[in-house]
Amino acid sequence: RRRLREIWRSAGWPCHDVVEAELLLAGALARTHDAQGRETLQVTDAGLALIAAAVQRNRRARDHHEALVGRVAREMQRSGRVVWRGLSLRAPPQAGTTQERAGWAVAMPDVFSIRHTTVEDYVEPVVHEIKVRRADLLSDLRKAPKREAYRAIASQCWYVLQAGIGTADEIPAEYGVMLAHGEADAAELEVLRPAPKRPMRLPFIAWMALARATAEPPLDIDAQPDLGPAA
C-alpha cells in the first residue's frame, strides 16, 4: 500500500523489485511507455481501490484511538485530576537510561494528568499511552527512549490496550497496564497491572508548557465524581 501511494504521487518510475512485480501481477499497477520508449508505472483502478481501503482502515483506527483517549481522559477527570490531551513536553534525560545519552527528548503522551492540589509534592503527574492496534504497540515497545521520556515527566505511566492487541507480559514492568473492553468511547477499563508510583517534581519547563496548553474542559455535572452530601 505504501508503494502504491508513492507511485500515485510520483512520476511512476519503476524500481523493478519484488514489491513492484507483485503489484503488477495483482493488477494494481500497469506498465506504460512514453514517446521515447521509457517505461513508467500507473496505478490502476484496482490499485486505487486498495489505496482507498487502506485510508478508510487508518481513519477508523484513528477515530477509535481518539475515542479511547477521550474515555481515559474522562476517567481521570472523574478521579479529580486536571487533564490534557495531545501535549508536547520536553523530558529531561534520566540517569542510567538510553535517553541519558540522547539528551532532552520530546514526550507526546496521549493523556497527561495531575492531581487537583495546591501542594507541589502532591501533584503526582500521570501519563496514559493508548494503543488500539498491535502494530502500533509493537512499534512503541521497540522505542526505549520514547518510553523513558514518558517516565521523565510522570510519577506513574500506563499503557491502555484495546482488548486483544497485547498482554501485560509484553509491557516493561515499569509501566502499568489496562485493558479496554467494548466500544472505545464507553469502554470498561480493567487494570491488569498497577503502575509503580515514584515521587517526582515536574521540571519548570513542563509547568510552562502546561500553562500555555489548554486543559480538558470540566465534565458535565452528571459526570462529576460523587463527593457525598454537602456539609
Side-chain angles (χ1 to χ4, degrees):
R1 292 189 294 268
R2 184 167 59 248
R3 179 65 63 82
L4 283 174
R5 291 195 299 269
E6 290 171 353
I7 293 173
W8 176 251
R9 292 193 298 261
S10 71
W13 296 112
C15 297
H16 292 137
D17 61 5
V18 175
V19 175
E20 232 165 58
E22 291 177 339
L23 291 171
L24 284 165
L25 289 174
L29 291 178
R31 287 179 288 185
T32 62
H33 296 81
D34 62 16
Q36 286 74 40
R38 293 173 298 192
E39 180 184 300
T40 58
L41 300 172
Q42 284 187 338
V43 179
T44 65
D45 289 345
L48 288 175
L50 289 173
I51 293 174
V55 169
Q56 291 299 321
R57 283 195 297 272
N58 291 337
R59 186 171 293 145
R60 286 194 297 270
R62 286 195 299 271
D63 291 345
H64 188 181
H65 177 269
E66 289 307 303
L68 187 51
V69 167
R71 170 71 181 91
V72 173
R74 291 193 299 276
E75 191 64 27
M76 292 302 99
Q77 288 181 292
R78 292 190 183 103
S79 300
R81 302 179 67 84
V82 184
V83 178
W84 289 263
R85 295 168 57 174
L87 280 177
S88 291
L89 298 175
R90 290 194 66 197
Q94 301 293 291
T97 67
T98 55
Q99 187 202 356
E100 181 182 19
R101 296 188 296 273
W104 286 73
V106 176
M108 295 188 294
D110 289 319
V111 179
F112 183 85
S113 65
I114 60 175
R115 289 184 62 194
H116 197 291
T117 178
T118 57
V119 181
E120 185 178 5
D121 287 341
Y122 298 165
V123 164
E124 294 181 4
V126 174
V127 160
H128 287 82
E129 185 66 8
I130 317 300
K131 297 299 176 188
V132 300
R133 296 196 301 181
R134 180 158 179 82
D136 291 340
L137 172 62
L138 295 179
S139 175
D140 209 76
L141 293 177
R142 288 192 292 267
K143 299 173 182 175
K146 178 181 178 181
R147 298 196 310 274
E148 291 160 1
Y150 294 150
R151 298 189 69 234
I153 58 170
S155 59
Q156 281 186 309
C157 294
W158 292 82
Y159 274 91
V160 182
L161 312 179
Q162 182 63 42
I165 72 163
T167 66
D169 293 340
E170 296 178 278
I171 309 299
E174 296 84 4
Y175 305 85
V177 183
M178 293 183 191
L179 275 191
H181 300 276
E183 293 295 327
D185 56 355
E188 177 186 348
L189 300 176
E190 176 191 2
V191 176
L192 295 186
R193 185 177 70 211
K197 185 184 296 185
R198 57 196 178 90
M200 71 158 300
R201 286 191 170 191
L202 280 175
F204 179 74
I205 193 170
W207 283 116
M208 289 300 296
L210 295 180
R212 291 192 297 267
T214 302
E216 289 293 287
L219 294 173
D220 293 337
I221 189 65
D222 291 338
Q224 295 287 353
D226 183 5
L227 302 179

